[in-house]
Amino acid sequence: MPSAFINPDLRFNSYGTYLRRRFGCRVSKVNVDGGFTCPNRDGSRGTGGCIYCDNSSFSPSGTQAIVPIEEQMAAGMAYHRTRLGSEKFLVYFQKFTNTYGPVEKLADLYRRALAHPDVLGISVGTRPDALSDGSIELLQELARDHYVCVELGLQSRDDQVLNRINRGHTFQEYLQAVHRLAGRGLELCTHLIYGFPGESRAEFVKGARLFSELPIGCLKLHQLHVVQGTRLAELYRQGAFAPIALEEYVGTVCDFLEELSPSISIQRLYGSAPVEIRVAPNWDLKNNQMWYAVVNELKRRGSWQGCRFDGVPRAANGEW
Ligand code: SF4
């Protein structure tokens, strides 16, 4: 029988359901651009960035650092209030590496976001190698009174893949970051991508067991897709990279979910890029169709998240 964490209509533990259960109302994430850069672009860790990275592909065009975050938040909250009837919000520092800066700058931005009465918390996207002791202590302090989620980009557990995609960090550095962040009242989220050449379906699915054992509360999954202006787009045009098929992606995500602890909520099931810059794959599905492709496959199999997980689920906040 599915665990209490699982939304029976979806057959997995969706982050939206988790937030509603935790806060008792509809909660939306509102993206802001805090004016950060990335150590994998500015030379301190690497140059050129990850081979698939074009920040415009995962950041709404309405957010730009020159606009005060209060204005960015107001626009995002108005949109979600009208479109989804959302009552409360999490401010999502998404673009580039949002702990990469002086602690004073981080404290100013995070506190300004949390000052809005309808903001329940913040979500901070970052890299495992961009967390100073000071930034972790700041996040811990804010988490005493607010929801604070740290989203760690990992993408792959395979160091050879990380090297090939120019991530600029190792799997071991990710594990160290998780352990430095754990036990501080923070929600930890990990970002993963499926579809890298050299990483098999079996290897990717095996990761579900490992992540189930880590103190993380949520995951984001998406397919490797190619957007214009990236090194990956060049490789695609040269015939050196072939994107995976939709059926392969959906099947792999379902395999992964079946092995994953039901206590880990899923923030994202697929990636989407604006059609103007999307190069491949072109599955020609709208966001909700992608979502239901996974849900319907779980239904077809008669399975659900965690149906093949035999460990002990953690509490919903990632703590034991
Ligand atoms: S770490 Fe993130 S922001 Fe930096 S280059 Fe890679 S994908 Fe882009």
Side-chain angles (χ1 to χ4, degrees), residues 168-236:
H169 66 74
T170 61
F171 180 52
Q172 188 59 31
E173 285 176 286
Y174 161 80
L175 291 176
Q176 285 163 354
V178 167
H179 289 297
R180 287 174 68 217
L181 291 162
R184 296 173 183 267
L186 303 165
E187 181 101 278
L188 302 188
C189 178
T190 294
H191 295 193
L192 294 173
I193 295 176
Y194 179 62
F196 292 122
E199 187 169 51
S200 71
R201 177 170 177 163
E203 267 308 308
F204 182 82
V205 171
K206 215 189 272 180
R209 295 264 162 174
L210 182 139
F211 294 114
S212 299
E213 296 302 318
L214 293 178
I216 61 173
C218 38
L219 278 174
K220 282 185 172 177
L221 306 172
H222 76 82
Q223 77 279 16
L224 180 58
H225 55 193
V226 186
V227 296
Q228 278 173 20
T230 62
R231 173 78 186 124
L232 190 60
E234 281 171 39
L235 294 172
Y236 175 73

Side-chain angles (χ1 to χ4, degrees), residues 194 201 244-255 283 285 293 297 301:
Y194 179 62
R201 177 170 177 163
I244 53 169
L246 173 64
E247 297 70 28
E248 161 78 4
Y249 182 71
V250 170
T252 306
V253 167
C254 291
D255 292 351
W283 293 339
L285 291 181
E297 174 61 9
R301 296 179 180 196

Side-chain angles (χ1 to χ4, degrees), residues 38 41 49-50 53 55 96 127 167:
C38 171
R41 283 174 168 259
C50 307
C53 173
N55 257 269
F96 293 122
R127 293 168 51 90
R167 269 299 291 179

Side-chain angles (χ1 to χ4, degrees), residues 38-186:
C38 171
N40 199 26
R41 283 174 168 259
D42 72 3
S44 75
R45 191 72 195 206
T47 51
C50 307
I51 63 168
Y52 53 83
C53 173
D54 175 340
N55 257 269
S56 62
S57 74
F58 56 81
S59 192
S61 53
T63 64
Q64 19 177 331
I66 49 169
V67 177
I69 64 159
E70 289 81 358
E71 281 180 40
Q72 298 181 49
M73 287 161 52
M77 288 194 274
Y79 174 80
H80 285 284
R81 275 200 178 97
T82 308
R83 192 165 158 265
L84 298 171
S86 304
E87 297 157 58
K88 297 290 179 184
F89 303 91
L90 304 178
V91 177
Y92 182 21
F93 291 88
Q94 178 191 33
K95 197 171 182 182
F96 293 122
T97 303
N98 297 274
T99 55
Y100 186 49
V103 175
E104 299 71 34
K105 172 183 174 175
L106 308 181
D108 174 59
L109 285 169
Y110 301 162
R111 288 190 205 284
R112 280 164 57 197
L114 291 168
H116 192 288
D118 290 333
V119 169
L120 298 171
I122 54 173
S123 211
V124 178
T126 189
R127 293 168 51 90
D129 57 1
L131 286 155
S132 65
D133 289 344
S135 67
I136 293 178
E137 282 156 22
L138 170 65
L139 292 164
Q140 178 176 9
E141 184 191 324
L142 297 175
R144 289 195 193 109
D145 300 315
H146 301 278
Y147 174 86
V148 177
C149 180
V150 180
E151 301 194 22
L152 285 176
L154 169 63
Q155 320 312 353
S156 172
R157 290 179 300 117
D158 183 330
D159 282 344
Q160 287 183 348
V161 169
L162 293 176
N163 195 30
R164 274 205 299 278
I165 64 174
N166 197 37
R167 269 299 291 179
H169 66 74
T170 61
F171 180 52
Q172 188 59 31
E173 285 176 286
Y174 161 80
L175 291 176
Q176 285 163 354
V178 167
H179 289 297
R180 287 174 68 217
L181 291 162
R184 296 173 183 267
L186 303 165

Side-chain angles (χ1 to χ4, degrees), residues 281-298:
N282 269 317
W283 293 339
D284 207 19
L285 291 181
K286 294 191 169 68
N287 285 351
N288 64 342
Q289 291 174 313
M290 271 303 301
W291 176 273
Y292 278 103
V294 174
V295 173
N296 290 338
E297 174 61 9
L298 289 171

